[in-house]
Amino acid sequence: MINTHPTRCNICGGRVTYGSNARVYSREYGSGYCYLCERCGAYVGTHKPRPREALGLLADEPMRTGKKMCHAIFDSFWKGKPKAGKKRHDLYCWLAHEMEIPVEGCHFGYFDIGQLRRAYIILRGVQHKQMKYDNCGNIYFEEAEHEAG
Ligand SMILES: [Zn+2]
């Protein structure tokens, strides 16, 4: 699992300090705090109810872009859908299985750049397919049916 109180940067090994997130945004935002690498500028936000706890790994620009690209596809399968919370949970289980990682570690915020790339390739593969449930309640994807005519 990831270190929720990082002192060393997971990208460059630089010193990480905890403080106001106005250091990375122009004003305080969300929990108001973040962990910031003094060397490369990678950072991670913290939980609002537990502002000392990092949300994931420190991320640089390529990781932030990777996360956005993954979420754009991933979220399209559950956001605003019936039983959204269950679908989101089941999608993380499906993705963990596809990536051969434990489901507890299956969160885009926990992924390094290599895992983000892998996740994106997997998600791209199902982007235009239909999400379905099998008889055991597991998610699978099927080619979308084309409209007749
Ligand atoms: Zn760093």
Side-chain angles (χ1 to χ4, degrees):
M1 287 304 284
I2 65 133
N3 180 1
T4 55
H5 297 72
T7 53
R8 288 279 157 195
C9 177
N10 49 269
I11 297 167
C12 76
R15 198 167 71 97
V16 169
T17 55
Y18 174 77
S20 164
N21 65 11
R23 297 181 298 168
V24 296
Y25 310 114
S26 44
R27 59 180 183 88
E28 285 199 353
Y29 175 81
S31 74
Y33 292 93
C34 74
Y35 288 91
L36 173 68
C37 172
E38 302 285 347
R39 191 190 288 170
C40 77
Y43 62 86
V44 61
T46 68
H47 285 275
K48 200 161 190 181
R50 299 182 300 280
R52 273 264 164 199
E53 205 173 293
L55 289 166
L57 294 174
L58 277 83
D60 57 7
E61 198 54 49
M63 284 170 73
R64 283 193 288 276
T65 303
K67 270 188 278 190
K68 273 181 216 151
M69 289 165 74
C70 286
H71 268 298
I73 302 176
F74 187 89
D75 294 351
S76 72
F77 289 116
W78 66 269
K79 243 183 196 173
K81 307 272 164 112
K83 297 184 186 161
K86 181 188 187 309
K87 282 190 177 132
R88 177 173 178 269
H89 171 265
D90 294 342
L91 278 159
Y92 275 118
C93 291
W94 165 82
L95 184 62
H97 181 78
E98 292 292 310
M99 292 184 70
E100 299 176 319
I101 60 170
V103 68
E104 311 84 66
C106 191
H107 252 281
F108 297 111
Y110 296 172
F111 290 173
D112 61 22
I113 191 71
Q115 288 177 308
L116 284 167
R117 289 200 177 109
R118 272 185 66 198
Y120 184 66
I121 289 164
I122 291 164
L123 290 166
R124 275 291 299 269
V126 300
Q127 187 175 13
H128 299 296
K129 294 185 178 179
Q130 263 182 326
M131 186 178 111
K132 303 230 164 151
Y133 279 96
D134 68 15
N135 294 334
C136 303
N138 297 315
I139 282 176
Y140 70 100
F141 287 88
E142 202 173 72
E143 291 294 341
E145 285 158 41
H146 292 283
E147 303 273 328

